[in-house]
Amino acid sequence: MKYAGFSFGWSLAAGLLVAAIMLYGFVRLAAAQGATQFMPFVGRASLTLPPETLGWNHLSTATGDLPSPDAGPEQVAALVGDLDGDGRNDFVIASRRGQGEPSVVWYQRGATGGWTRRVVEPSTLPLEAGGALYDIDRDGDLDLVLGANRQGNAIWWWENPAPAYDEDGWTRRTIKDSGQSQHHDMMFGEFDGDAAIEFVYWNQGAARLYVVEVPPSPRTTEPWPGGRPIFTAPSTTYEGLAQGDVDGDGRTDIVAGGYWLSHLGGDSYRANPIAPTTNARMAIGQLKAGGRPEIVITPGDATGMARWYEWNGSGWTANDLLSEEVFFTHSLELGDVDGDGALDIFMGEMTFHETDERHNTDAQSWIFYGDGQGGFEIRVATHGFGHHESRLADLDGDGDLDILGKPFGWQTPRLDIWLNPGGASACDSPIAEWTWQRYLIDPARPGPVSYTHLRAHETVLDLVCRLLLEKTNTLVHHSSHPIQRATISRRM
C-alpha cells in the first residue's frame, strides 16, 4: 500500500511537470508569433505577453541620440526637475568611482528638443543613491542635494547658478559632516505642521531617520544645525522614502522602510508598521478611489515579491503585483502614464556589470496600468535593459509621462529614454490663454492652501492641467464644507 501511494505521487508530479512544460512552450510560441495573452494575477491584474516593449520612441547614449554622462562607472542617482525655469523638465545624473570624471552632471532640455550635458560637480565624490531637488536658498530655482555612501558621513547641496550656466559653476555646500556614514534616500516636505520645510534623510550607518529644518540663511550656514533622529530602524539595511497623507487628517506623513510616521508634536513621531522591509523602494498614491492612499513596496536591493498595500480599516492588506519574485527593482514610480485619470505603477529591475554574478540579462521593467479600483493591466515596458532609480517624467514637453532609464553599472556610462507617444497633452493650449474664474471653496480659509502634491516629476503647469482637466471639471474636497461643481472654461 505504501509503495502504491508512492508511485501515484510520483506519477502525479510527473504529469504536472509535463503540463508545465507544455504551457511554457505554448507561451514561448505565442511570444514568437507576436500574439497577446492575458494571465491572471493577484489583485485583479493581467499580464500582457508580448510585445516585450511598449513600442515607444527609444533614445540612447549608446546610439548617440543624447550625450553620454561621461562620469563614473556606478551611476547612483537620477533626478528630474525644471532646473533652468523654462517650463521644460531637465534631469540630473550622479555617479561614483570615477577616475577624474565629474560625479554629477545635468541635462538641459533645449527649446527645440535635444539635451545639453552640463557639469554640476567636477570632482569625484563617494555618492549614494537617492538625492533631492528643492529651492533651498529661496531664489526661485531648484537646488540639488546628494549624500555620501558608506565611505563618507557628509550630505551636500549645490546652489543652482541660474541663469549663468555658461559662466559659473554650481557651488557645493555642506548640510552634514559628522556622525555615521551612508545616506540612501532623502526628501523635502512639511511634516510637523509649522509651515516651514523640513529635510528628511536616512543615515544607514546609524540605522536612523533624521529630520532637520532648512536654515533661514543656507548659503552661510554649514553644516545645518538641529538635526535630530525621529525613527530608529531595526537594522542598517532599511531605506526608501515617500510622503503623503496616509491617515487622511490633512497632514503630510512620512513613509520609510515599510512604516509610516505620524507627527505627535514637537520632535516626536510615531512609527506605524505597514510591512517593515529592508532594502526596499516605496511609493504612495491613490490606487483605489476613496479611503486611505495605497502603499507600494518593492525589493530595491534584493530579490522578493513586489506588493501594494491597502488599508482595510484595521490593518494593511498585501496584494502581489506579480505572481513571482522580482530582482532588484530599484526603480519604482507612480504616475498617470496613459492619461485616463488613474494612477499607474512603473517598476524596473537592475542589470549589473557583465562580470557580476548578479548580471541578470533578462531584466525587465513593467507598467501596471491602473483602473482606479485596485485592478491593473500589466505591460512589459523594457526587456534586457538595466534600471536603477529610473524615472517617470515628461521629458519632451508634450504633457505625458516618459521613462528616463538609468542603469547602475550595466554598460555605463549610459542613459536610455523612452518617449511616450500617448497623444496630445491635456494642456493643448497655453495656460496663459485660458479664461479663469476664482471660486472660494472654504470661507474659513480664504488664503492660499494646498491639498495636493506634485506627482512624479510634474511641473507646476502639469499639476494645474491635471487638477483642472482630468476629473472632468468636478472638484472633490474631503471636508465638512459643501462644495459646488465649478465650470472651468478655456479660450481655444
Side-chain angles (χ1 to χ4, degrees), residues 125-136:
L125 295 176
L127 298 176
E128 184 55 279
L133 294 174
Y134 180 70
D135 184 11
I136 292 174

Side-chain angles (χ1 to χ4, degrees), residues 402-483:
D402 311 301
I403 298 172
L404 170 61
K406 179 195 72 65
F408 174 72
W410 171 72
Q411 297 186 6
T412 53
R414 176 178 180 141
L415 296 174
D416 292 272
I417 289 175
W418 288 268
L419 297 177
N420 186 347
S425 164
C427 288
D428 51 8
S429 64
I431 288 182
E433 298 179 4
W434 292 18
T435 300
W436 295 87
Q437 182 171 346
R438 179 178 181 270
Y439 291 86
L440 184 60
I441 295 176
D442 187 345
R445 296 180 175 181
V449 61
S450 172
Y451 290 98
T452 189
H453 291 280
L454 293 177
R455 285 182 181 170
H457 316 306
E458 286 180 321
T459 65
V460 174
L461 299 188
D462 294 332
L463 173 63
V464 172
C465 294
R466 171 167 62 83
L467 293 183
L468 296 184
L469 298 179
E470 76 177 17
K471 298 305 181 184
T472 62
N473 299 338
T474 301
L475 299 177
V476 179
H477 176 55
H478 299 286
S479 81
S480 58
H481 297 280
I483 181 171

